[in-house]
Amino acid sequence: MMTLENSWVVAWSRALGLPHDIPQWVYALIALICIYCLVVIPSGAILSYLDRKLTADLQARVGPNRTGPVGTLQPVADLFKLLQKESQVRWTWSENLWMGVHSMALYSTLAVMPLGSMALLVDTDMSAFIPFWSALVLALGTMLLGISQNSVPGWFGGIRVAAQTLAGSFPALVALLCVGVRSGSFRWSILGNSQGFAPWSWALVANPFQAVAFIVFVISGLVLLAIPPLDGGLSMSDIHGGVSSHLYGRRLSLFRFGRFYGFFLWSVITVVLFLGGWTLPTTAVEGLRNIEAYRFLAFIELLWLLFKTFILMLLIVWVARVNPRSRVDQIMDFSWKVLSPFSLLALVGASFWAGWRAFI
Amino acid sequence: MNQITESSDSSTDLTTWEIGPYHGSLPAPMRLRLGLDGEIIANCKVETGFLHRGLEKTCELHSWKAVITYADHLDPEVAVYGELVFCLAVEELGDTSVPPRAQSIRLILAELSRLSAHLLYMVRMAKAVGSETIIHYLLRDRERILDLFELLTGARFSLGFLRFGGVKADVTEGFLERVLEVCEMIRIRMKEYNDLFTFNHVFLQRSSFIGTMPASLIRNCGITGPNARASGIVFDVRKSDPYMGYDQLEFEIPVGRGEGGNVGDVHDRFLLRLREMTQSMEILKQLIEKLPTGEFLNEKYEKGFTIPAGEAYSKIESSRGLLGCHVISDGSEFPSRVQFRPPTLANLMAIPQLLQGTRIEDLPVVLASLDLGIAEADR
């Protein structure tokens, strides 16, 4: 098992000149801050830029091109613009409370985010399930935030998000079980290392049932976290963005970034579960280990993982931009009546496949 | 608690939700007071008048010729119809003849306006269902039509191009060829847009079986135009009461067939406008093929224009339906009364009944599908 002593955090803290007798929670805190500031926030900036440029290309227009070279600093400019805007309305204590719950639920998953073989802070037998519990708490926070806004858009937005999360979590969980059946564990390190660098060694192509599970997992993730085009709960045209209709400035940027984080987390998990994760060619890994270039190896693994994640996210963005938004009852119908049976089929198939392989 | 026991006739209390005059669901400034039973709209009240500009009164304060530019503010999206219907009424009153070439130029403008209005209609529908990409494609093509307006009249909106007894100027060099080019371009691109949007599975799911207008509702409210034809009522002023030489052109009146869902649902209204665009392009081709030579303006009537006392009523088929204009003259240099009969007004009357039982997610889609031109309704 990966412990804190030999994790990449220790190497970093040594490099920064921190003493050895610092308690473990300080290391963990430093690791979380590093992940948030060096991985999540830059990913948000890069992806929002790529999203806007890709969308602009699809829609026969130019996109951001003024701020920085070819508009690359636009996300930074947007962030500062939103941060300096003050809220017009004072919030009640309950709104503050539920916004807090919402953010805590979201960012509690930072610790379980699998970002490479040496960047697994919480690598337990239950690791892969933790993001789901967070997603459920997130939906609760969003729902109660919406209801505490005391307005029709917030109310409907909150209820819809909660209903969607319930509908999406069942097929997503069953699809996750399919992967666990194949690799034999829900530990990130085992899930990741059961796949290889080459695409034909990924879980996605291991057997047809895994492919079904992959499709179910991606779509139910969109339902679960209300990501476009399946974001009926945050629909702009009828309920003005639902829960976000009462948010301005900093709170809106916090909320929006939270939604991005959910999308990002889900894509990282999908890549780790189905698309080979962080695994590099064995010879390259051994070579780097032999010369003890652990930090470089961790960095390369992270880049490879993020590259696949971005490709997956851009593909989803592409679909979202071209298609209309589905109605929320249609999304839930689809989730319960189509995704759930397919996920169960995949689970049964994957179980038989695994049993047959074990028998032989 | 008392309220619940008192209203024992209804099982649930209704949530009231007031939206407007500016809201994402609404295609134009208006206010809706909705009573919601869960996500279902139980009742609805419509309040309009936020765009009232006193247009008809303004028309009485200006000379006959100046009123033309006010008439095209009736509906800024399709300026030429306001001008056309007013000119037709005044020409009937003054017994003015319009040269054949001017008639054809007017019709070219009218049909181009129909194309542009229907493209804008598709944009509003796409916005209502949250489909971003198609919006940009459609607006890009609509720009080409506005370019044509600019080439002919010098203005992109608010053309001010019609005169009593003709039009202001002859066609510009290269205009007719470019009209054909644009028609061909739209014809080709519409096939792509149909794949991308019209027959997109998600769009079909969003637009079929909702907002169905039965023929009885159409008759009760006096709805005309594409909305009525989508519900199976064959009525088009261009056929029933031809003006400006529509009787010499060959075209069909598309009627809703309910391919996606019911006859007269949102998708039917959408499809019908697509078919109308095809017909408009046919009309444009015929008009350009046999554009008569000769005068474009009856000079005799342009100088010292006087309108004898009397009254006249003219009607045309605008992109939204029957647009009427009632003009009364007392023989002076100002109109005594100008009154418009905008097609949108009838659609507004149908909204309360139409929205009953609709989900609130469908509210923007149903409203967008009605093609409300609130400017002409509020005047």
Side-chain angles (χ1 to χ4, degrees), chain B residues 72-300:
Chain B
D72 78 13
H73 291 156
L74 177 67
D75 188 356
E77 271 174 28
V78 278
V80 78
Y81 292 122
E83 290 179 39
L84 181 58
V85 74
F86 178 70
C87 285
L88 283 178
V90 173
E91 280 154 9
E92 189 187 325
L93 205 55
D95 203 17
T96 315
S97 66
V98 181
R101 189 173 176 83
Q103 290 192 1
S104 290
I105 296 173
R106 283 178 175 191
L107 287 195
I108 290 174
L109 273 178
E111 292 306 320
L112 279 176
S113 294
R114 201 180 309 276
L115 280 180
S116 118
H118 285 348
L119 283 173
L120 209 57
Y121 170 85
M122 291 170 73
V123 168
R124 281 193 295 261
M125 282 294 285
K127 194 165 155 263
V129 296
S131 187
E132 267 180 51
T133 304
I134 187 78
I135 294 177
H136 292 274
Y137 291 163
L138 291 167
L139 286 177
R140 178 184 62 181
D141 292 349
R142 182 169 172 268
E143 284 299 303
R144 300 288 303 272
I145 297 178
L146 298 185
D147 286 345
L148 289 177
F149 287 154
E150 192 181 355
L151 183 62
L152 179 64
T153 71
R156 296 165 78 81
F157 297 100
S158 196
L159 309 179
F161 191 65
L162 267 53
R163 295 288 179 269
F164 305 128
V167 291
K168 183 180 154 195
D170 203 354
V171 287
T172 331
E173 191 184 337
F175 173 75
L176 298 175
E177 291 80 6
R178 283 185 206 184
V179 171
L180 291 177
E181 264 172 38
V182 168
C183 284
E184 184 62 15
M185 180 201 74
I186 291 178
R187 192 182 64 77
I188 293 168
R189 288 204 173 147
M190 273 305 146
K191 288 180 188 162
E192 293 172 25
Y193 300 163
N194 286 345
D195 292 342
L196 179 64
F197 189 60
T198 315
F199 298 108
N200 182 319
H201 178 73
V202 183
F203 179 62
L204 278 168
Q205 291 269 308
R206 285 299 305 266
S207 61
S208 302
F209 298 109
I210 61 166
T212 307
M213 283 212 279
S216 57
L217 180 66
I218 303 275
R219 289 206 182 84
N220 289 344
C221 299
I223 295 172
T224 51
N227 291 347
R229 292 194 284 275
S231 296
I233 293 178
V234 191
F235 173 73
D236 190 316
V237 186
R238 291 176 293 177
K239 283 282 186 199
S240 70
D241 219 343
Y243 51 93
M244 291 284 111
Y246 266 121
D247 44 351
Q248 290 151 25
L249 300 166
E250 280 176 30
F251 61 100
E252 286 168 20
I253 302 299
V255 179
R257 295 193 292 246
E259 280 111 326
N262 302 331
V263 173
D265 66 359
V266 168
H267 199 256
D268 239 15
R269 292 201 276 279
F270 187 85
L271 276 184
L272 188 107
R273 283 176 171 87
L274 283 180
R275 298 212 179 90
E276 283 208 342
M277 286 172 70
T278 317
Q279 293 303 319
S280 288
M281 290 189 270
E282 277 302 310
I283 295 174
L284 280 171
K285 270 178 207 157
Q286 292 176 31
L287 283 169
I288 288 170
E289 266 171 28
K290 44 186 184 186
L291 185 71
T293 50
E295 287 294 306
F296 60 86
L297 182 62
N298 222 330
E299 280 294 338
K300 195 174 71 178

Side-chain angles (χ1 to χ4, degrees), chain A:
Chain A
M1 180 186 165
M2 192 73 62
T3 58
L4 266 174
E5 269 66 35
N6 57 4
S7 76
W8 62 298
V9 187
V10 181
W12 277 31
S13 62
R14 278 183 196 139
L16 292 168
L18 294 170
H20 296 287
D21 52 350
I22 285 184
Q24 286 202 340
W25 64 267
V26 178
Y27 284 137
L29 192 67
I30 293 172
L32 290 184
I33 293 172
C34 283
I35 291 175
Y36 190 66
C37 296
L38 300 176
V39 179
V40 178
I41 292 181
S43 297
I46 293 169
L47 206 94
S48 84
Y49 175 75
L50 290 178
D51 172 8
R52 292 176 70 167
K53 273 294 189 191
L54 174 81
T55 310
D57 271 359
L58 285 177
Q59 298 176 347
R61 56 190 175 85
V62 180
N65 68 343
R66 294 300 170 101
T67 324
V70 288
T72 40
L73 291 179
Q74 189 64 45
V76 183
D78 286 348
L79 179 70
F80 281 116
K81 173 69 184 161
L82 278 172
L83 284 182
Q84 65 173 327
K85 284 179 85 166
E86 284 181 21
S87 182
Q88 294 281 316
V89 282
R90 286 184 66 83
W91 268 21
T92 59
W93 64 270
S94 57
E95 280 171 296
N96 279 318
L97 175 71
W98 295 120
M99 190 69 183
V101 168
H102 165 272
S103 305
M104 272 167 57
L106 207 54
Y107 297 120
S108 64
T109 51
L110 270 178
V112 287
M113 207 143 104
L115 291 173
S117 63
M118 279 173 287
L120 301 168
L121 291 179
V122 182
D123 195 29
T124 69
D125 286 336
M126 289 293 283
S127 285
F129 288 103
I130 296 175
F132 283 90
W133 311 135
S134 289
L136 292 176
V137 178
L138 175 70
L140 181 78
T142 314
M143 180 182 82
L144 291 168
L145 176 65
I147 290 175
S148 62
Q149 285 173 350
N150 203 15
S151 73
V152 171
W155 210 84
F156 279 122
I159 296 285
R160 284 182 193 178
V161 167
Q164 256 188 258
T165 305
L166 286 179
S169 55
F170 177 71
L173 271 171
V174 177
L176 176 65
L177 293 182
C178 298
V179 190
V181 163
R182 178 183 166 270
S183 63
S185 173
F186 296 103
R187 191 186 287 271
W188 288 132
S189 51
I190 296 177
L191 283 167
N193 292 331
S194 70
Q195 307 170 72
F197 171 73
W200 54 85
S201 60
W202 293 354
L204 168 68
V205 290
N207 60 56
F209 303 106
Q210 296 295 338
V212 174
F214 168 73
I215 294 167
V216 169
F217 192 78
V218 170
I219 301 176
S220 57
L222 304 184
V223 177
L224 178 66
L225 292 160
I227 298 163
L230 303 179
D231 60 341
L234 300 160
S235 162
M236 216 50 207
S237 58
D238 57 335
I239 51 170
H240 255 221
V243 176
S244 60
S245 66
H246 271 224
L247 305 175
Y248 306 92
R250 287 166 213 170
R251 283 171 186 143
L252 181 65
S253 50
L254 194 67
F255 187 80
R256 288 240 177 104
F257 196 77
R259 307 241 45 108
F260 163 76
Y261 175 71
F263 185 21
F264 177 68
L265 174 72
W266 196 263
S267 308
V268 168
I269 293 173
T270 311
V271 169
V272 172
L273 293 182
F274 291 98
L275 302 176
W278 56 77
T279 48
L280 294 170
T282 326
T283 48
V285 174
E286 278 174 3
L288 286 172
R289 280 189 191 278
N290 286 341
I291 57 165
E292 297 196 342
Y294 292 119
R295 257 176 278 168
F296 185 68
L297 178 61
F299 184 63
I300 297 291
E301 279 182 346
L302 179 66
L303 281 189
W304 177 229
L305 177 70
L306 288 183
F307 173 73
K308 286 193 273 192
T309 308
F310 282 2
I311 299 279
L312 179 67
M313 289 171 89
L314 286 177
L315 284 174
I316 294 170
V317 164
W318 184 2
V319 174
R321 290 288 177 265
V322 179
N323 283 299
R325 174 186 288 113
S326 293
R327 216 166 62 192
V328 72
D329 61 318
Q330 290 166 350
I331 296 172
M332 282 181 281
D333 263 16
F334 179 69
S335 192
W336 285 118
K337 293 180 187 164
V338 180
L339 288 179
S340 299
F342 270 105
S343 68
L344 289 170
L345 176 80
L347 179 60
V348 171
S351 306
F352 274 111
W353 194 283
W356 179 66
R357 292 283 292 269
F359 189 71
I360 284 176

